[in-house]
């Protein structure tokens, strides 16, 4: 394992270099799925639950004023989310060669690699549009490796250090069919471990996809996370999953300014996010 842990910026500030320029009229794309009861989720993660704690009408207010409020509960890896670096370990270690620590009995969450360490993810974004590249729908047999990315970027602006790389497989069309979307019985298209190495060598700072599992799962019998290990444990590159990339793909957008930030969850292994892509619009 290589690298050093992120500066502990949580609750303070972070000094960093960001290669973005936003001015004038822009179009902002919402890249998050809607949080709602019954939405697709992996069975290992708690479901999203929502209920109204108070509805309008009644209460202590005067002059016809009322307030409503809700309560909700969910797993940190449900819906559009980002993995903390400590979400995955290898040989008892997380990013920065730190021992996996879980506080007293693990009930307080991660002491090393928690989501609080993850800084805002801001920078130039690149979308790899799988259906556009292949000219067809992707299948679980489609692994995205170096040769695919070399070909894609031969026709698009190069992937520079500090970039955020997103993968559209088109799998979001199955979002309402949890069994199909999760791919437990079929596998999923996605980035191979060789493709992950190619991306990290090009200096990306974060990656994401429209699938529930970022990496390639050619069949349902494969129980392994080599891409997660490479990005999270070895390189300190956060992974975002279940991203809504259909509108971005339909608009033909492949370059944009990307912004996302996780919630400040003490000891968290991940966090819901609402990422956005900002695109210049014609004058």
């Amino acid at each position: 394992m290589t690298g050093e842990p992120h500066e502990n910026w949580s609750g303070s500030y972070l000094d960093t270099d960001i290669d973005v320029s936003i001015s004038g009229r822009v179009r902002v794309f919402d890249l998050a799925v809607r949080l709602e009861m019954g939405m697709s989720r992996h069975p290992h993660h708690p479901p999203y639950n929502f209920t109204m704690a108070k509805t309008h009408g009644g209460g202590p207010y005067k002059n016809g004023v009322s307030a409503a409020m809700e309560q909700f509960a969910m797993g940190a890896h449900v819906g559009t989310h980002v993995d903390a670096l400590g979400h995955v370990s290898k040989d008892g270690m997380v990013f920065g060669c730190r021992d996996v620590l879980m506080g007293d009995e693990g009930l307080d969450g991660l002491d090393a690699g928690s989501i609080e360490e993850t800084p805002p993810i801001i920078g130039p974004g690149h979308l790899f549009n799988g259906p556009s590249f292949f000219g067809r729908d992707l299948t679980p047999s489609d692994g995205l490796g170096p040769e695919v990315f070399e070909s894609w970027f031969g026709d698009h602006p190069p992937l520079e250090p500090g970039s955020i790389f997103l993968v559209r497989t088109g799998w979001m069309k199955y979002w309402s069919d949890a069994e199909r979307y999760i791919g437990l019985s079929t596998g999923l298209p996605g980035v191979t471990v060789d493709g992950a190495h190619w991306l990290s060598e090009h200096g990306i700072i974060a990656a994401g996809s429209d699938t529930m599992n970022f990496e390639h799962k050619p069949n349902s019998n494969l129980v392994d996370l080599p891409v997660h290990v490479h990005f999270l444990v070895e390189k300190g590159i956060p992974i975002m999953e279940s991203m809504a990339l259909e509108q971005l793909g339909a608009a033909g957008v492949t370059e944009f300014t990307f912004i996302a930030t996780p919630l400040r969850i003490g000891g968290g292994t991940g966090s819901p996010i609402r990422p956005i892509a900002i695109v210049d619009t014609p004058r």
Side-chain angles (χ1 to χ4, degrees), residues 28-61:
V28 181
F29 287 84
D30 185 356
L31 307 184
V33 298
R34 185 174 189 253
L35 298 179
E36 57 187 340
M37 297 278 284
M39 66 181 183
S40 290
R41 65 175 179 88
H42 194 282
H44 288 171
H45 296 288
Y48 175 80
N49 284 297
F50 178 101
T51 186
M52 292 301 294
K54 182 184 181 302
T55 59
H56 282 292
Y61 305 109

Side-chain angles (χ1 to χ4, degrees), residues 74-255:
M74 63 185 297
H77 302 271
V78 175
T80 304
H81 65 275
V82 59
D83 293 344
L85 301 187
H87 175 50
V88 171
S89 65
K90 175 71 172 178
D91 298 325
M93 307 287 282
V94 298
F95 179 65
C97 298
R98 295 174 291 170
D99 291 332
V100 174
L101 300 173
M102 294 292 293
D104 294 338
E105 299 181 353
L107 299 179
D108 293 330
L110 300 174
D111 290 334
S114 81
I115 196 64
E116 279 197 282
E117 296 181 9
T118 303
I121 303 171
I122 307 173
H126 295 261
L127 177 72
F128 170 78
N129 194 331
S132 174
F133 176 80
F134 288 103
R136 57 170 173 79
D137 291 342
L138 272 63
T139 72
S141 65
D142 288 313
L144 309 177
E147 66 287 344
V148 170
F149 298 145
E150 291 280 3
S151 178
W152 175 263
F153 284 107
D155 296 325
H156 295 85
L159 190 64
E160 302 289 349
S163 296
I164 295 95
F165 183 74
L166 306 182
V167 175
R168 176 182 174 254
T169 66
W171 221 247
M172 190 51 68
K173 66 185 176 182
Y174 302 128
W175 177 247
S176 60
D177 182 349
E179 175 67 22
R180 183 73 180 273
Y181 178 73
I182 298 169
L184 290 180
S185 60
T186 61
L188 294 169
V191 175
T192 66
V193 67
D194 288 340
H197 279 265
W198 188 93
L199 292 168
S200 67
E201 289 166 3
H202 282 75
I204 67 168
I205 61 171
S209 72
D210 57 358
T211 51
M212 188 162 290
N213 191 317
F214 176 82
E215 58 191 273
H216 185 213
K217 294 282 188 181
N219 61 70
S220 58
N221 296 322
L222 182 63
V223 183
D224 200 5
L225 294 169
V227 173
H228 278 67
V229 168
H230 179 64
F231 276 175
L232 299 178
V233 183
E234 297 174 352
K235 294 298 181 180
I237 298 173
I239 295 173
M240 298 170 285
E241 293 167 319
S242 294
M243 304 185 75
L245 303 177
E246 291 304 287
Q247 289 292 328
L248 207 59
V253 173
T254 55
E255 289 82 44

